[in-house]
Amino acid sequence: MAMPEYYARNMDQDAAAHPCSNTYYHSLIDWDDANDPLRKLMSPSLPASGSAGIWGASDDESEYLAQGYRHKFRTAAFLVLPETEAEEGAAPALEYIASHPEIRQVILAGGDCFGLPAGKLRKLIASLRAIPHVGIIRLSTRLPVIEPMRIAEDKRLLRIISEFSTPARPIYLMAHVHHPREVTDAAVHAFRALQSAGAVIVNRTPILGGINDSAELLGSLLDRLELAGVTPYYFFVDRPGEDGGEFAVPLSRAYRLVEEAKLATNAGLGRRARLALNHDAGFVEVLAVEDGKAYLKFHASPDDDIGKFITADCPDDAVWLTDLPGSESKIGSLRIDWTDSADYGLRTSYVKRPYQIGD
């Protein structure tokens, strides 16, 4: 694919710019429209305002980020991107991971992995690759759609992917594409460069009210992702924040949007995308919301309670698991009692016992 003229012309000036103010992404915005969705994506009300960070789908993100690392699921550990030299900032986590052979997958969290200088990122990945039982490393980024020139022309970064991503021990790149207008020729060029280097790229997208809460729009996103060679992984709902969830979409509506988007898409792979919540209790798929009931399935949990099926009452305005009758939320811990819930229409035998490391 030929490099777009704009892409080549602005590469140098964009490479030095902050993600929330670079001229490339600004060029995608209709500044005469106060409701332009890409303009809204730069709202300070969003957790990753200006796309400088990564949208967090997890209730307990602040908990493991405060620790620096967390062994949430038996076979997977989260590791916060270090602000210091990689060996120093990540040393405790690396020591812990090396001493726990059950950990097969490490997820780098706490921001955009490509925001880390290439040298530091290489040292961190090399340290993880030196641990024999870590097969999969997952990196999260929005840079291919925010500053694609930072990806496609960074030979050092692409060499890191090429060096450490192999068929037996792949590097998975978790892309965060929120709107089909972000999938430009320049973005596709960046994705193709990463794929050529050996990265396996999948995408997850938050459903955001007033930004992408349209079945037609989400269907178009699925089409464009497939054409870019990026596999749609899952959609997720916006967890309510202190602002009351300005961009939150109720579970029942989010479910309908995803199912209608699958009908609208021409992308076969797009129909595999799921609607999910990454909660402290586990990674939960919303199988269906029908007649006031939500049908949920655990794909991962601190107890390895994989496959647990839950039927719960689901009010029309419910946006999160704690909004389902029978749940109880406490700010900070967000511990949920799912066991004594017969009177609330919630049926499960799931008991949460966090598999969590200490400080």
Side-chain angles (χ1 to χ4, degrees):
M1 178 183 298
M3 182 182 297
E5 180 182 354
Y6 175 89
Y7 183 96
R9 188 173 65 246
N10 292 279
M11 183 179 65
D12 292 338
Q13 67 185 59
D14 282 351
H18 190 275
C20 68
S21 62
N22 76 79
T23 55
Y24 167 79
Y25 198 77
H26 276 200
S27 74
L28 305 181
I29 297 172
D30 180 359
W31 292 101
D32 293 326
D33 181 3
N35 292 314
D36 182 84
L38 302 193
R39 183 174 181 174
K40 286 185 176 181
L41 279 170
M42 301 178 68
S43 167
S45 299
L46 293 178
S49 62
S51 306
I54 290 298
W55 188 280
S58 175
D59 250 349
D60 62 330
E61 179 178 335
S62 60
E63 185 175 344
Y64 72 73
L65 294 189
Q67 295 182 10
Y69 54 101
R70 189 180 187 199
H71 191 177
K72 179 177 179 180
F73 305 132
R74 182 177 61 86
T75 61
F78 294 86
L79 192 160
V80 64
L81 294 172
E83 294 182 1
T84 60
E85 285 295 327
E87 299 94 335
E88 293 179 23
L94 292 169
E95 292 173 5
Y96 180 88
I97 293 167
S99 65
H100 286 74
E102 71 273 20
I103 296 175
R104 311 292 296 178
Q105 178 177 195
V106 174
I107 301 99
L108 300 190
D112 196 306
C113 63
F114 292 152
L116 198 67
K120 294 182 180 181
L121 181 63
R122 187 191 183 283
K123 291 174 184 177
L124 183 57
I125 293 177
S127 297
L128 289 170
R129 276 289 173 254
I131 302 174
H133 53 265
V134 176
I136 292 176
I137 298 173
R138 281 173 46 180
L139 312 177
S140 293
T141 185
R142 263 181 63 73
L143 233 61
V145 295
I146 295 297
E147 292 186 278
M149 61 291 299
R150 292 276 299 275
I151 301 296
E153 293 304 308
D154 190 338
K155 303 302 182 185
R156 192 177 179 188
L157 174 62
L158 295 175
R159 280 197 299 269
I160 293 171
I161 302 297
S162 180
E163 180 180 358
F164 293 108
S165 186
T166 67
R169 303 177 81 193
I171 288 178
Y172 274 78
L173 191 64
M174 312 299 291
H176 292 243
V177 186
H178 299 344
H179 195 280
R181 277 170 45 198
E182 294 181 329
V183 189
T184 63
D185 287 347
V188 173
H189 186 74
F191 282 131
R192 294 299 187 191
L194 289 163
Q195 290 162 342
S196 295
V200 180
I201 307 177
V202 299
N203 182 71
R204 67 177 198 163
T205 297
I207 298 179
L208 304 171
I211 293 179
N212 62 9
D213 56 334
S214 155
E216 182 180 3
L217 188 150
L218 294 177
S220 175
L221 177 59
L222 292 174
D223 286 341
R224 294 194 184 194
L225 288 171
E226 184 167 68
L227 290 173
V230 177
T231 301
Y233 182 24
Y234 63 87
F235 295 100
F236 62 92
V237 297
D238 170 22
R239 72 180 187 275
E242 294 181 358
D243 61 356
E246 177 185 353
F247 300 98
V249 175
L251 282 176
S252 59
R253 182 163 182 260
Y255 170 72
R256 290 194 302 272
L257 287 172
V258 170
E259 293 306 304
E260 290 171 7
K262 291 178 183 179
L263 291 175
T265 183
N266 296 314
L269 291 178
R271 296 191 179 99
R272 302 190 308 175
R274 300 166 173 171
L275 176 63
L277 302 94
N278 195 358
H279 191 273
D280 189 38
F283 184 81
V284 183
E285 179 183 359
V286 181
L287 295 173
V289 181
E290 297 289 345
D291 298 325
K293 297 286 185 181
Y295 301 91
L296 312 173
K297 178 182 178 182
F298 277 83
H299 284 272
S301 79
D303 276 344
D304 273 346
D305 214 349
I306 299 172
K308 180 62 65 178
F309 179 81
I310 295 172
T311 302
D313 290 333
C314 185
D316 289 341
D317 59 351
V319 298
W320 199 241
L321 290 185
T322 50
D323 294 329
L324 305 182
S327 67
E328 181 178 335
S329 172
K330 296 180 180 179
I331 300 301
S333 64
L334 286 172
R335 296 181 182 276
I336 296 178
D337 180 8
W338 296 99
T339 58
D340 186 19
S341 54
D343 295 337
Y344 298 96
L346 187 66
R347 299 195 300 274
T348 179
S349 59
Y350 178 80
V351 180
K352 180 181 179 297
R353 291 182 294 273
Y355 186 69
Q356 181 181 346
I357 62 175
D359 292 332

